[in-house]
Amino acid sequence: MAQQEDVFKKLVSHCKEYGFVFPSSEIYDGLGAVYDYGQNGVELKNNIKKYWWDSMTLLHDNVVGIDSAIFMHPTIWKASGHVDAFNDPLIDNKDSKKRYRADVLIEEQLAKYDDKINKEVEKAAKRFGDSFDEAQFRGTNPRVLEITEKRDVLHTRFAKALNDNNLEELRQIIVDEEMVCPVSGTRNWTEVRQFNLMFSTEMGSTSDGAMKIYLRPETAQGIFVNFLNVQKSGRMKIPFGIAQIGKAFRNEIVARQFVFRMREFEQMEMQFFVRPGEELNWFAQWKETRIRWHKALGLGDRKYRFHDHDKLAHYANAATDIEFEMPFGFKEVEGIHSRTDFDLSSHEKYSGKKLQYFDPELNQSYTPYVIETSIGVDRMFLSVLAGSYCEEALEGGDTRVVLKLPPALAPVKLAVLPLVKKDGLPEKALEIRNELKFSFNCQYDEKDSIGKRYRRQDAIGTPYCVTIDHDTLNDHQVTIRHRDTMQQERVPVADLQSIIAEKVSLKNLLKQIKS
Ligand code: GAP
């Protein structure tokens, strides 16, 4: 665990050193849980967004995009339930004065039980070697059974408290589990209280005062309120989807873990409108489609898992998370929710406008049901970086830090490097770069030894380096160096464009999703 935390710290400082992510307002000592993306970060983020956008709007004939405003009529947040129910249960430690999310504290306690069980299994696996039967061990070992029992009891109690919205019971669980504040080390807890996560501001000024409005906490509502606009103007037939990428804002209390939990972040959401009664079928299909999208990146299938919700949100009749193995454990990157007709019905009620669809095949009107896929751009960004970050020992005792990013997502696709800064090599290198820059994000670098230049490109995840040497001037060939294997091959300059395009193309990545 300590080793993983170490990796995470290194990743955060790597992001700063190589222009991926900077703390916001850093010269003023920063602003809690707000971050800026640097020159490489913005390219990676844009590539992630394009991968998602194209997978939604190009691979599905019946999915179109919109870009709705961040400011929306305040009644929208009443209708969506956010004014009344978008809360976190908070608890304070009276000695340290630190504030925690009660549900997160209990989830961490559950994870501790899981860790204990896994440690017992690992120890036994070492002891028994090849003859070890893990399933049998988990099902019979008295110590493992004892911990599993405690874990399951806690899990059931926790799920019930969440579903019943029972704040007293959440506190009692924390007390009964003898959980201590990590800062003060004491169990001196306050009551659990609800805290609304929406930011508000004021718009305009009237004689009665300005109107209180909210910064949207999700992009989804912009889709719901435009459902009929898109359906009518696009002559869309159910089932169809509306996709959107945009900023969202939440006044997160436990804001930590870098870009994992931010106060200003970006979402990529798609609402898929279906016939009532068909939603669970579509829910299963979208689960499958979305996990394929993640796995096509090649970061390792074992790094993903589904986590079905114990507590369903007020609008859902099924929900799951796609979790990725971050350096701090498996964490939610994407949520897939069957939202029933909750949102459209509620907007009908609050706006007084009909939001129904006339189905020509059934010859009847109804309020469509909705499957939502909702993924955080920043969490996706973090998962891609965490899954790509490697420290490798090299021959001769040297080490290198390399980001083995999926080539289609890499900020820079190739670096063009003259072997030396003389003899006409820089001119030749620039000529090649100037030709290729129309197809790819290319960098030209002539400073320092070739080894140092390779290291700099490894650190930002550039999949290819092209070296121009004296022979190039005569044989019109260059050396391509592959980032992951460090192998080099000699290829004609004329073939560069097609060789690189094949490997870094987003099109090829999209084909792998096999939609
Ligand atoms: N419209 C549904 C919705 O917003 P959510 O589970 O609250 O559902 C969806 O959020 C996704 O947005 C999450 O899976 C996560 O990737 C991202 N997200 C949510 N809160 C975030 C935060 N504070 N910082 C970064 N990403 C966040």
Side-chain angles (χ1 to χ4, degrees):
M1 198 64 189
Q3 206 186 356
Q4 284 188 316
E5 275 166 22
D6 216 32
V7 170
F8 186 51
K9 275 194 197 136
K10 284 186 192 168
L11 186 64
V12 174
S13 56
H14 189 89
C15 278
K16 177 149 185 249
E17 189 180 345
Y18 288 96
F20 282 89
V21 181
F22 307 125
S24 159
S25 324
E26 196 182 6
I27 60 170
Y28 292 94
D29 296 332
L31 184 65
V34 186
Y35 291 90
D36 298 337
Y37 285 83
Q39 68 279 16
N40 289 316
V42 69
E43 296 289 345
L44 173 56
K45 197 173 165 204
N46 284 341
N47 292 339
I48 289 172
K49 289 196 271 187
K50 180 136 178 67
Y51 177 42
W52 183 87
W53 187 262
D54 286 357
S55 76
M56 285 293 172
T57 61
L58 300 185
L59 301 191
H60 301 277
D61 290 344
N62 55 356
V63 177
V64 294
I66 62 162
D67 182 19
S68 71
I70 288 173
F71 292 150
M72 296 199 277
H73 194 286
T75 310
I76 286 176
W77 304 111
K78 193 79 192 145
S80 68
H82 284 82
V83 170
D84 297 322
F86 194 51
N87 301 318
D88 273 349
L90 298 185
I91 189 165
D92 292 11
N93 182 270
K94 291 183 196 164
D95 299 319
S96 67
K97 311 270 182 271
K98 289 276 170 203
R99 182 162 285 180
Y100 301 93
R101 269 177 58 180
D103 55 334
V104 171
L105 284 180
I106 299 170
E107 273 166 12
E108 284 171 358
Q109 182 75 356
L110 282 166
K112 277 188 194 155
Y113 284 124
D114 286 336
D115 278 352
K116 274 189 195 165
I117 295 168
N118 290 338
K119 276 202 187 110
E120 294 292 328
V121 173
E122 272 168 35
K123 266 197 299 187
K126 267 198 199 133
R127 213 168 47 234
F128 294 113
D130 287 346
S131 61
F132 183 58
D133 180 341
E134 185 176 329
Q136 192 194 10
F137 182 79
R138 282 180 186 271
T140 55
N141 179 272
R143 172 106 185 101
V144 168
L145 288 176
E146 186 193 337
I147 307 169
T148 309
E149 160 91 18
K150 279 192 189 159
R151 188 213 175 276
D152 291 348
V153 168
L154 172 60
H155 188 237
T156 311
R157 203 174 155 197
F158 174 48
K160 180 161 171 23
L162 281 181
N163 273 316
D164 297 347
N165 220 356
N166 187 340
L167 301 184
E168 266 173 41
E169 173 67 353
L170 283 178
R171 179 177 190 278
Q172 199 53 47
I173 292 175
I174 290 171
V175 171
D176 292 349
E177 288 285 320
E178 302 184 342
M179 292 163 63
V180 295
C181 164
V183 177
S184 67
T186 69
R187 299 182 202 147
N188 197 5
W189 298 109
T190 62
E191 298 306 302
V192 175
R193 282 162 295 115
Q194 295 286 23
F195 176 86
N196 193 285
L197 297 182
M198 280 198 294
F199 284 103
S200 62
T201 185
E202 294 188 340
M203 179 178 269
S205 90
T206 64
S207 51
D208 304 334
M211 176 162 67
K212 180 178 174 183
I213 58 166
Y214 298 98
L215 299 191
R216 66 180 177 198
E218 63 172 16
T219 60
Q221 298 304 324
I223 295 178
F224 289 122
V225 296
N226 278 297
F227 156 71
L228 266 194
N229 284 337
V230 173
Q231 191 271 317
K232 290 202 163 127
S233 60
R235 293 179 295 116
M236 309 298 290
K237 284 207 176 75
I238 274 188
F240 73 91
I242 305 178
Q244 163 155 247
I245 300 179
K247 289 269 177 151
F249 305 83
R250 295 182 190 180
N251 195 2
E252 299 282 1
I253 296 310
V254 185
R256 55 180 183 199
Q257 291 166 330
F258 195 41
V259 295
F260 183 80
R261 199 177 297 286
M262 300 157 89
R263 295 198 167 105
E264 173 181 340
F265 58 101
E266 223 169 339
Q267 288 185 317
M268 306 188 280
E269 299 200 293
M270 195 278 306
Q271 314 293 324
F272 197 71
F273 300 90
V274 303
R275 279 184 188 158
E278 294 185 359
E279 71 276 12
L280 293 180
N281 199 0
W282 283 109
F283 175 72
Q285 285 196 40
W286 276 106
K287 264 177 84 171
E288 191 46 40
T289 305
R290 293 305 302 146
I291 197 78
R292 280 209 308 267
W293 182 88
H294 285 276
K295 289 183 176 173
L297 289 173
L299 297 173
D301 289 3
R302 292 164 64 100
K303 288 189 186 285
Y304 301 90
R305 71 179 187 197
F306 284 112
H307 171 246
D308 295 330
H309 286 204
D310 285 326
K311 183 193 178 190
L312 292 175
H314 56 279
Y315 49 72
N317 70 359
T320 194
D321 295 335
I322 294 177
E323 295 186 337
F324 183 82
E325 191 176 15
M326 302 278 188
F328 40 89
F330 272 94
K331 295 286 167 195
E332 172 192 345
V333 171
E334 171 158 4
I336 302 169
H337 313 119
S338 173
R339 291 181 76 126
T340 66
D341 61 350
F342 171 83
D343 302 88
L344 289 179
S345 298
S346 190
H347 286 306
E348 265 196 326
K349 195 168 106 199
Y350 277 84
S351 68
K353 309 273 168 17
K354 261 206 161 345
L355 291 177
Q356 296 218 330
Y357 169 79
F358 176 75
D359 193 322
E361 282 171 36
L362 300 182
N363 197 25
Q364 74 180 62
S365 292
Y366 53 79
T367 308
Y369 272 44
V370 172
I371 304 303
E372 164 182 79
T373 71
S374 173
I375 171 168
V377 179
D378 313 272
R379 284 194 192 175
M380 185 61 202
F381 176 96
L382 185 58
S383 71
V384 169
L385 274 182
S388 305
Y389 182 88
C390 296
E391 288 175 13
E392 284 182 355
L394 301 175
E395 280 171 27
D398 221 1
T399 55
R400 70 164 184 159
V401 174
V402 53
L403 292 184
K404 295 189 173 174
L405 294 170
L409 300 188
V412 177
K413 305 300 187 212
L414 86 152
V416 184
L417 316 170
L419 191 59
V420 289
K421 215 161 65 172
K422 55 182 184 183
D423 305 335
L425 301 190
E427 289 76 7
K428 186 70 189 164
L430 279 168
E431 185 190 312
I432 294 173
R433 196 281 309 262
N434 287 343
E435 188 55 36
L436 292 175
K437 74 180 177 188
F438 294 102
S439 309
F440 316 108
N441 192 339
C442 305
Q443 260 186 15
Y444 171 80
D445 190 3
E446 57 176 30
K447 196 168 173 290
D448 298 323
S449 70
I450 194 77
K452 275 195 182 159
R453 282 180 274 166
Y454 284 156
R455 284 300 96 80
R456 278 203 289 270
Q457 295 301 330
D458 287 344
I460 63 168
T462 307
Y464 299 101
C465 288
V466 166
T467 308
I468 283 76
D469 57 24
H470 292 92
D471 290 341
T472 307
L473 302 180
N474 302 316
D475 66 6
H476 306 292
Q477 300 216 344
V478 287
T479 304
I480 287 196
R481 180 227 186 224
H482 297 255
R483 176 195 67 196
D484 299 348
T485 58
M486 293 190 290
Q487 279 179 351
Q488 307 197 356
E489 59 177 323
R490 201 82 187 149
V491 302
V493 173
D495 293 351
L496 271 179
Q497 140 82 33
S498 60
I499 293 173
I500 293 166
E502 169 70 17
K503 298 275 168 46
V504 306
S505 113
L506 185 58
K507 191 169 86 183
N508 288 347
L509 183 55
L510 288 169
K511 279 185 181 165
Q512 281 177 46
I513 305 174
K514 292 195 212 90
S515 183

